[in-house]
Amino acid sequence: MPTYSYACTACGHRFDAVQSFSDAALTECPECRGRLRKEYGSIGVTFNGSGFYRTDSRGAGGEKASSSASSKTDSTTSASPAPASAPASTS
């Protein structure tokens, strides 16, 4: 359950309340019975790194990694000659 911060507009009393998403917001200060306002602060999520890409959720490596891996495989097999097979002897 999330924790919400409240501040009284009359006396300045600040406190936190643990409430469910379906609970109504508090409206009355427990100290002076004044009007409360919900305080909004910075969220606890940070995004680090160079960014998000279309292929990030497609498993290990994604589409770009598999296409680059297959192009490396294609270039190495086409660059090396195929081994000569020995003629079959019929006796």
Side-chain angles (χ1 to χ4, degrees):
M1 288 200 312
T3 302
Y4 296 101
S5 296
Y6 289 93
C8 179
T9 57
C11 69
H13 175 67
R14 294 174 188 257
F15 65 97
D16 294 335
V18 178
Q19 295 177 290
S20 174
F21 288 111
S22 59
D23 291 345
L26 300 177
T27 57
E28 189 175 280
C29 176
E31 298 287 319
C32 72
R33 306 282 185 217
R35 198 173 119 238
L36 288 178
R37 65 179 170 87
K38 193 180 281 188
E39 294 186 318
Y40 296 98
S42 62
I43 59 173
V45 177
T46 58
F47 297 100
N48 295 323
S50 59
F52 298 95
Y53 298 94
R54 180 175 68 94
T55 57
D56 282 351
S57 64
R58 293 189 180 194
E63 190 175 292
K64 290 182 181 179
S66 63
S67 64
S68 64
S70 64
S71 64
K72 287 180 185 176
T73 307
D74 292 342
S75 64
T76 56
T77 55
S78 62
S80 61
S85 60
S89 62
T90 54
S91 326

XYZ file of all heavy atoms in Angstrom:
651
model
N 0.837 -1.177 0.000
C 0.000 0.000 0.000
C 0.885 1.244 0.000
O 1.891 1.283 0.690
C -0.922 -0.008 1.217
C -2.021 -1.038 1.096
S -3.471 -0.800 2.133
C -2.839 -0.479 3.708
N 0.495 2.245 -0.748
C 1.306 3.457 -0.852
C 1.199 4.349 0.385
O 0.223 4.309 1.125
C 0.744 4.162 -2.076
C -0.610 3.606 -2.270
C -0.619 2.238 -1.680
N 2.226 5.151 0.569
C 2.265 6.130 1.647
C 2.085 7.516 1.046
O 2.796 7.885 0.112
C 3.604 6.061 2.392
O 3.780 4.738 2.896
C 3.648 7.049 3.541
N 1.140 8.274 1.578
C 0.854 9.618 1.091
C 1.274 10.639 2.143
O 1.129 10.403 3.342
C -0.635 9.787 0.783
C -1.105 8.888 -0.343
C -1.792 7.709 -0.074
C -0.857 9.215 -1.664
C -2.221 6.888 -1.094
C -1.285 8.404 -2.695
C -1.963 7.241 -2.401
O -2.376 6.435 -3.421
N 1.779 11.773 1.702
C 2.160 12.861 2.598
C 1.079 13.926 2.582
O 0.580 14.303 1.518
C 3.485 13.474 2.155
O 4.514 12.530 2.252
N 0.742 14.401 3.774
C -0.270 15.433 3.924
C 0.314 16.600 4.705
O 1.203 16.421 5.533
C -1.491 14.904 4.673
C -2.329 13.927 3.887
C -2.117 12.558 3.999
C -3.322 14.372 3.038
C -2.883 11.661 3.288
C -4.102 13.478 2.319
C -3.868 12.123 2.446
O -4.633 11.242 1.733
N -0.223 17.802 4.453
C 0.145 19.003 5.201
C -1.129 19.797 5.477
O -2.004 19.922 4.614
C 1.136 19.848 4.424
N -1.209 20.327 6.691
C -2.363 21.143 7.078
C -2.165 22.561 6.551
O -1.087 23.141 6.683
C -2.511 21.143 8.594
S -3.893 22.141 9.176
N -3.220 23.127 5.988
C -3.132 24.499 5.475
C -3.259 25.522 6.602
O -2.855 26.669 6.442
C -4.230 24.754 4.418
O -5.500 24.499 5.015
C -4.026 23.867 3.204
N -3.801 25.105 7.760
C -4.001 26.038 8.880
C -2.792 26.094 9.813
O -2.244 27.161 10.078
C -5.252 25.648 9.665
N -2.336 24.916 10.312
C -1.260 24.918 11.309
C 0.086 24.468 10.756
O 1.093 24.577 11.433
C -1.647 24.045 12.510
S -1.722 22.274 12.156
N 0.115 23.931 9.534
C 1.371 23.501 8.932
C 1.837 22.121 9.360
O 2.924 21.683 8.996
N 1.025 21.392 10.134
C 1.374 20.033 10.574
C 1.530 19.122 9.357
O 0.691 19.105 8.466
C 0.281 19.503 11.512
C 0.481 18.090 11.931
N 1.523 17.687 12.729
C -0.230 16.970 11.661
C 1.448 16.387 12.936
N 0.386 15.933 12.295
N 2.636 18.375 9.331
C 2.898 17.449 8.222
C 2.979 16.035 8.765
O 3.557 15.800 9.819
C 4.205 17.802 7.536
C 4.185 19.135 6.844
C 5.569 19.493 6.307
N 5.564 20.842 5.811
C 5.507 21.140 4.517
N 5.482 20.202 3.618
N 5.487 22.405 4.137
N 2.415 15.092 8.002
C 2.463 13.687 8.399
C 2.261 12.808 7.174
O 1.847 13.280 6.111
C 1.410 13.385 9.478
C -0.013 13.544 9.014
C -0.743 12.445 8.587
C -0.625 14.788 9.008
C -2.043 12.586 8.169
C -1.931 14.939 8.593
C -2.643 13.832 8.169
N 2.570 11.533 7.346
C 2.404 10.536 6.293
C 1.288 9.580 6.696
O 1.122 9.262 7.885
C 3.680 9.738 6.070
C 4.810 10.584 5.515
O 4.519 11.605 4.867
O 5.979 10.218 5.722
N 0.545 9.095 5.718
C -0.526 8.139 5.971
C -0.425 7.017 4.944
O -0.263 7.267 3.753
C -1.882 8.825 5.868
N -0.504 5.781 5.434
C -0.508 4.613 4.556
C -1.958 4.324 4.205
O -2.779 4.059 5.079
C 0.147 3.390 5.253
C 0.085 2.174 4.360
C 1.579 3.704 5.644
N -2.268 4.406 2.910
C -3.637 4.229 2.451
C -3.674 3.343 1.222
O -2.713 3.295 0.449
C -4.259 5.576 2.078
C -4.421 6.535 3.229
C -4.980 7.849 2.742
O -4.302 8.595 2.056
N -6.230 8.111 3.102
N -4.788 2.688 1.030
C -5.010 1.903 -0.169
C -5.357 2.843 -1.317
O -5.744 3.999 -1.104
C -6.162 0.927 0.064
O -6.485 0.250 -1.127
N -5.225 2.353 -2.542
C -5.579 3.163 -3.701
C -7.071 3.520 -3.687
O -7.466 4.574 -4.162
C -5.260 2.437 -5.006
C -3.799 2.357 -5.289
C -3.139 1.151 -5.233
C -3.073 3.487 -5.622
C -1.778 1.073 -5.499
C -1.723 3.423 -5.885
C -1.072 2.205 -5.828
N -7.891 2.634 -3.132
C -9.328 2.867 -3.141
C -9.795 3.754 -1.984
O -10.945 4.198 -1.974
C -10.063 1.522 -3.083
O -9.691 0.822 -1.904
N -8.934 4.033 -1.005
C -9.314 4.901 0.121
C -9.450 6.353 -0.331
O -8.725 6.815 -1.200
C -8.270 4.840 1.244
C -8.247 3.499 1.953
O -9.197 2.716 1.781
O -7.256 3.245 2.673
N -10.383 7.053 0.298
C -10.557 8.479 0.008
C -9.423 9.268 0.651
O -8.858 8.865 1.670
C -11.898 8.955 0.552
N -9.069 10.395 0.050
C -8.014 11.248 0.595
C -8.471 11.850 1.923
O -9.654 12.119 2.124
C -7.685 12.359 -0.392
N -7.516 12.032 2.837
C -7.836 12.655 4.129
C -8.110 14.136 3.918
O -7.486 14.782 3.065
C -6.671 12.463 5.100
C -6.292 11.006 5.412
C -5.087 10.970 6.330
C -7.462 10.262 6.021
N -9.037 14.688 4.694
C -9.423 16.090 4.513
C -9.286 16.915 5.777
O -9.313 18.142 5.715
C -10.883 16.187 4.024
O -11.725 15.530 4.969
C -11.045 15.567 2.650
N -9.142 16.278 6.952
C -9.127 17.009 8.216
C -7.845 16.723 8.995
O -7.465 15.574 9.180
C -10.349 16.588 9.042
C -10.559 17.425 10.275
C -11.845 17.037 10.978
O -12.922 17.477 10.533
O -11.753 16.286 11.968
N -7.197 17.776 9.470
C -5.947 17.671 10.227
C -6.216 17.020 11.590
O -7.153 17.431 12.297
C -5.339 19.059 10.418
S -3.849 19.072 11.442
N -5.415 16.029 11.982
C -5.627 15.407 13.292
C -5.220 16.313 14.454
O -5.618 16.075 15.593
C -4.744 14.161 13.243
C -3.724 14.439 12.214
C -4.348 15.375 11.237
N -4.448 17.380 14.205
C -3.990 18.288 15.259
C -4.981 19.416 15.522
O -5.356 19.665 16.665
C -2.633 18.900 14.872
C -1.516 17.890 14.716
C -1.044 17.334 16.054
O -0.924 18.115 17.011
O -0.813 16.125 16.117
N -5.385 20.126 14.471
C -6.207 21.336 14.671
C -7.557 21.282 13.967
O -8.304 22.242 14.004
C -5.437 22.568 14.211
S -5.285 22.688 12.421
N -7.846 20.177 13.296
C -9.087 20.013 12.519
C -9.155 20.947 11.321
O -10.224 21.215 10.783
C -10.336 20.206 13.392
C -10.381 19.347 14.615
C -10.780 17.962 14.224
N -10.944 17.156 15.446
C -10.588 15.893 15.504
N -10.062 15.306 14.467
N -10.753 15.211 16.604
N -7.997 21.452 10.883
C -7.938 22.314 9.700
C -7.992 21.489 8.423
O -8.079 20.262 8.435
N -7.945 22.193 7.302
C -8.026 21.543 5.993
C -6.667 20.969 5.594
O -5.642 21.636 5.734
C -8.490 22.561 4.948
C -9.020 21.900 3.695
C -9.627 22.918 2.751
N -8.845 22.826 1.518
C -8.192 23.812 0.947
N -8.222 25.006 1.462
N -7.515 23.617 -0.151
N -6.646 19.741 5.089
C -5.414 19.086 4.639
C -5.257 19.204 3.141
O -6.234 19.286 2.400
C -5.435 17.596 4.998
C -5.267 17.217 6.453
C -5.376 15.704 6.604
C -3.928 17.688 6.979
N -4.021 19.196 2.724
C -3.717 19.075 1.291
C -2.692 17.967 1.136
O -1.840 17.752 1.987
C -3.203 20.385 0.716
C -1.886 20.839 1.267
C -1.453 22.156 0.594
N -0.314 22.703 1.294
C 0.953 22.369 1.023
N 1.216 21.526 0.071
N 1.937 22.908 1.713
N -2.840 17.240 0.049
C -1.912 16.149 -0.240
C -0.662 16.751 -0.874
O -0.752 17.585 -1.774
C -2.555 15.146 -1.193
C -1.808 13.833 -1.308
C -2.468 12.868 -2.262
C -3.634 12.202 -1.603
N -4.187 11.097 -2.441
N 0.496 16.328 -0.397
C 1.768 16.810 -0.946
C 2.290 15.805 -1.958
O 2.224 14.600 -1.739
C 2.794 17.007 0.165
C 2.444 18.108 1.124
C 3.568 18.355 2.103
O 4.166 17.386 2.590
O 3.848 19.537 2.365
N 2.817 16.328 -3.028
C 3.389 15.490 -4.069
C 4.876 15.771 -4.151
O 5.302 16.909 -4.278
C 2.733 15.770 -5.425
C 1.262 15.422 -5.420
C 0.301 16.401 -5.220
C 0.852 14.121 -5.604
C -1.040 16.079 -5.205
C -0.487 13.788 -5.583
C -1.433 14.767 -5.393
O -2.757 14.448 -5.368
N 5.667 14.726 -4.063
C 7.113 14.872 -4.147
C 7.645 14.132 -5.354
O 6.884 13.660 -6.214
N 8.941 14.022 -5.403
C 9.542 13.298 -6.522
C 9.306 11.799 -6.347
O 9.219 11.295 -5.236
C 11.039 13.583 -6.599
O 11.666 13.120 -5.415
N 9.185 11.126 -7.439
C 8.927 9.695 -7.387
C 10.223 8.944 -7.158
O 11.302 9.454 -7.393
C 8.240 9.207 -8.682
C 9.108 9.512 -9.891
C 6.869 9.835 -8.817
C 8.581 8.916 -11.159
N 10.135 7.717 -6.726
C 11.315 6.923 -6.405
C 11.820 6.074 -7.557
O 12.436 5.043 -7.333
N 11.569 6.493 -8.780
C 12.015 5.726 -9.944
C 13.010 6.570 -10.720
O 12.752 7.738 -10.991
C 10.819 5.367 -10.861
C 11.289 4.645 -12.105
C 9.817 4.539 -10.114
N 14.128 5.986 -11.076
C 15.097 6.676 -11.926
C 15.419 5.786 -13.108
O 15.490 4.567 -12.982
C 16.400 7.005 -11.176
O 16.960 5.801 -10.678
C 16.143 7.954 -10.024
N 15.612 6.389 -14.247
C 15.964 5.668 -15.455
C 17.406 5.998 -15.800
O 17.729 7.148 -16.091
C 15.039 6.058 -16.614
C 13.612 5.689 -16.347
C 12.710 6.642 -15.919
C 13.177 4.385 -16.508
C 11.396 6.314 -15.667
C 11.873 4.035 -16.251
C 10.978 4.999 -15.835
N 18.263 4.999 -15.749
C 19.671 5.186 -16.059
C 20.004 4.471 -17.361
O 19.341 3.523 -17.743
C 20.548 4.608 -14.946
C 20.364 5.338 -13.643
O 20.189 6.548 -13.632
N 20.388 4.616 -12.543
N 21.026 4.896 -18.010
C 21.450 4.234 -19.236
C 21.221 5.101 -20.449
O 20.800 6.247 -20.365
N 21.489 4.522 -21.588
C 21.415 5.276 -22.833
C 20.006 5.352 -23.393
O 19.752 6.105 -24.315
C 22.346 4.651 -23.865
O 21.968 3.299 -24.087
N 19.077 4.554 -22.887
C 17.711 4.638 -23.372
C 17.088 3.274 -23.528
O 17.668 2.256 -23.175
N 15.892 3.256 -24.077
C 15.161 2.026 -24.280
C 14.921 1.857 -25.775
O 14.673 2.822 -26.488
C 13.827 2.068 -23.531
C 14.014 2.196 -22.050
C 13.982 3.433 -21.434
C 14.253 1.075 -21.282
C 14.168 3.554 -20.082
C 14.449 1.187 -19.925
C 14.403 2.426 -19.324
N 14.973 0.632 -26.213
C 14.848 0.349 -27.633
C 13.712 -0.626 -27.868
O 13.285 -1.346 -26.968
C 16.161 -0.220 -28.173
C 17.287 0.757 -28.032
C 18.133 0.729 -26.930
C 17.482 1.750 -28.982
C 19.160 1.639 -26.800
C 18.499 2.671 -28.853
C 19.331 2.606 -27.749
O 20.336 3.517 -27.623
N 13.285 -0.696 -29.086
C 12.193 -1.574 -29.488
C 12.517 -3.028 -29.180
O 11.643 -3.817 -28.866
C 11.939 -1.378 -30.981
C 10.835 -2.231 -31.552
C 10.600 -1.872 -32.997
N 11.704 -2.238 -33.845
C 11.800 -3.382 -34.520
N 10.826 -4.261 -34.427
N 12.833 -3.636 -35.269
N 13.750 -3.407 -29.260
C 14.142 -4.804 -29.106
C 14.488 -5.177 -27.667
O 14.864 -6.303 -27.412
C 15.364 -5.100 -29.984
O 16.409 -4.210 -29.611
C 15.029 -4.939 -31.443
N 14.374 -4.266 -26.707
C 14.755 -4.558 -25.328
C 13.922 -5.656 -24.693
O 14.405 -6.383 -23.846
C 14.669 -3.305 -24.466
C 15.860 -2.394 -24.669
O 16.821 -2.821 -25.333
O 15.821 -1.267 -24.170
N 12.676 -5.808 -25.069
C 11.818 -6.790 -24.413
C 11.738 -8.107 -25.175
O 10.943 -8.954 -24.850
C 10.413 -6.221 -24.261
O 9.855 -6.003 -25.534
N 12.569 -8.303 -26.154
C 12.470 -9.511 -26.978
C 13.432 -10.605 -26.560
O 13.790 -11.456 -27.338
C 12.713 -9.159 -28.433
C 11.618 -8.292 -28.969
C 11.767 -8.134 -30.423
N 10.686 -7.290 -30.920
C 10.383 -7.183 -32.179
N 11.062 -7.839 -33.064
N 9.404 -6.412 -32.547
N 13.913 -10.597 -25.363
C 14.797 -11.658 -24.903
C 16.249 -11.246 -25.007
O 16.579 -10.087 -25.191
N 17.128 -12.214 -24.885
C 18.570 -11.941 -24.858
C 19.043 -11.468 -26.219
O 18.999 -12.202 -27.194
C 19.329 -13.190 -24.444
N 19.466 -10.248 -26.296
C 20.057 -9.734 -27.521
C 19.095 -9.046 -28.449
O 19.438 -8.087 -29.093
N 17.889 -9.540 -28.553
C 16.907 -8.898 -29.419
C 17.164 -9.168 -30.882
O 18.002 -9.967 -31.282
N 16.423 -8.470 -31.707
C 16.468 -8.672 -33.149
C 17.790 -8.215 -33.754
O 18.339 -8.860 -34.628
C 15.307 -7.909 -33.766
C 15.061 -8.205 -35.221
C 13.812 -7.484 -35.683
O 12.720 -7.841 -35.243
O 13.968 -6.552 -36.495
N 18.301 -7.088 -33.285
C 19.533 -6.557 -33.845
C 20.713 -7.472 -33.584
O 21.544 -7.690 -34.440
C 19.830 -5.169 -33.292
C 18.890 -4.114 -33.789
C 19.251 -2.769 -33.249
C 18.276 -1.721 -33.729
N 18.573 -0.412 -33.202
N 20.776 -8.049 -32.375
C 21.899 -8.919 -32.036
C 21.850 -10.198 -32.857
O 22.869 -10.693 -33.315
C 21.896 -9.245 -30.549
N 20.655 -10.757 -33.070
C 20.565 -11.997 -33.826
C 20.879 -11.757 -35.302
O 21.489 -12.589 -35.943
C 19.188 -12.636 -33.658
O 18.202 -11.778 -34.184
N 20.488 -10.606 -35.849
C 20.787 -10.336 -37.251
C 22.279 -10.077 -37.440
O 22.863 -10.480 -38.439
C 19.968 -9.166 -37.777
O 20.329 -7.982 -37.097
N 22.923 -9.425 -36.464
C 24.354 -9.195 -36.593
C 25.119 -10.490 -36.392
O 26.142 -10.714 -37.012
C 24.828 -8.130 -35.601
O 24.644 -8.586 -34.283
N 24.614 -11.385 -35.539
C 25.277 -12.666 -35.333
C 25.156 -13.523 -36.589
O 26.101 -14.195 -36.992
C 24.670 -13.388 -34.135
N 23.999 -13.490 -37.254
C 23.835 -14.288 -38.461
C 24.658 -13.719 -39.610
O 25.173 -14.455 -40.439
C 22.360 -14.384 -38.857
O 21.878 -13.105 -39.185
N 24.834 -12.391 -39.665
C 25.648 -11.816 -40.722
C 27.116 -12.154 -40.500
O 27.864 -12.349 -41.451
C 25.455 -10.309 -40.814
O 25.901 -9.695 -39.632
N 27.552 -12.251 -39.237
C 28.926 -12.660 -38.969
C 29.133 -14.106 -39.383
O 30.146 -14.459 -39.954
C 29.244 -12.503 -37.472
C 29.410 -11.080 -37.034
C 29.713 -11.016 -35.557
C 29.774 -9.585 -35.071
N 29.977 -9.514 -33.630
N 28.142 -14.955 -39.120
C 28.247 -16.358 -39.500
C 28.283 -16.491 -41.016
O 29.073 -17.246 -41.565
C 27.055 -17.157 -38.940
O 26.980 -16.917 -37.547
C 27.192 -18.631 -39.210
N 27.451 -15.727 -41.713
C 27.415 -15.797 -43.172
C 28.744 -15.336 -43.770
O 29.235 -15.948 -44.712
C 26.294 -14.919 -43.732
C 24.919 -15.471 -43.361
O 24.840 -16.668 -42.995
O 23.951 -14.700 -43.428
N 29.333 -14.294 -43.225
C 30.565 -13.777 -43.796
C 31.735 -14.715 -43.530
O 32.628 -14.835 -44.354
C 30.871 -12.384 -43.235
O 31.098 -12.473 -41.842
N 31.739 -15.422 -42.395
C 32.858 -16.328 -42.129
C 32.744 -17.593 -42.950
O 33.736 -18.134 -43.394
C 32.926 -16.690 -40.632
O 31.683 -17.249 -40.241
C 33.256 -15.489 -39.791
N 31.530 -18.075 -43.221
C 31.398 -19.299 -44.002
C 31.638 -19.026 -45.479
O 32.183 -19.877 -46.176
C 30.002 -19.933 -43.813
O 29.017 -18.968 -44.140
C 29.838 -20.433 -42.404
N 31.274 -17.844 -45.957
C 31.486 -17.567 -47.369
C 32.957 -17.227 -47.651
O 33.426 -17.402 -48.759
C 30.577 -16.433 -47.839
O 30.903 -15.253 -47.123
N 33.705 -16.765 -46.647
C 35.093 -16.396 -46.858
C 36.011 -17.615 -46.878
O 37.047 -17.617 -47.531
C 35.557 -15.438 -45.767
N 35.649 -18.677 -46.186
C 36.512 -19.861 -46.167
C 36.012 -20.870 -47.205
O 34.828 -21.097 -47.324
C 36.530 -20.479 -44.770
O 35.229 -20.868 -44.412
N 36.945 -21.449 -47.963
C 36.517 -22.400 -48.995
C 36.009 -23.698 -48.380
O 36.430 -24.083 -47.293
C 37.797 -22.649 -49.798
C 38.907 -22.325 -48.854
C 38.373 -21.259 -47.951
N 35.110 -24.339 -49.081
C 34.569 -25.599 -48.604
C 35.642 -26.683 -48.760
O 36.405 -26.689 -49.723
C 33.329 -25.965 -49.410
N 35.747 -27.587 -47.797
C 36.766 -28.646 -47.902
C 36.452 -29.586 -49.074
O 35.289 -29.864 -49.360
C 36.675 -29.376 -46.568
C 35.319 -29.046 -46.018
C 34.969 -27.711 -46.567
N 37.494 -30.007 -49.734
C 37.314 -30.908 -50.880
C 36.987 -32.297 -50.342
O 37.635 -32.787 -49.430
C 38.586 -30.949 -51.712
N 35.983 -32.893 -50.938
C 35.601 -34.224 -50.467
C 36.378 -35.270 -51.262
O 36.670 -35.103 -52.450
C 34.096 -34.432 -50.614
O 33.741 -34.294 -51.979
N 36.718 -36.332 -50.609
C 37.477 -37.410 -51.272
C 36.522 -38.171 -52.177
O 35.375 -38.402 -51.816
C 38.071 -38.339 -50.222
N 37.008 -38.538 -53.357
C 36.130 -39.308 -54.267
C 35.795 -40.657 -53.667
O 36.613 -41.281 -53.027
C 36.937 -39.428 -55.543
C 38.337 -39.143 -55.170
C 38.297 -38.309 -53.922
N 34.559 -41.046 -53.838
C 34.126 -42.336 -53.303
C 34.700 -43.460 -54.147
O 34.700 -43.393 -55.359
C 32.599 -42.397 -53.293
N 35.248 -44.432 -53.487
C 35.826 -45.559 -54.238
C 34.797 -46.648 -54.350
O 34.126 -46.997 -53.395
C 37.078 -46.075 -53.531
O 36.745 -46.563 -52.242
N 34.668 -47.160 -55.548
C 33.709 -48.254 -55.780
C 34.510 -49.499 -56.073
O 35.281 -49.583 -57.026
C 32.768 -47.923 -56.937
O 33.535 -47.586 -58.082
C 31.834 -46.798 -56.572
N 34.447 -50.473 -55.272
C 35.203 -51.701 -55.509
C 34.325 -52.886 -55.687
O 33.273 -53.040 -55.303
C 36.148 -52.064 -54.390
O 36.730 -51.040 -53.732
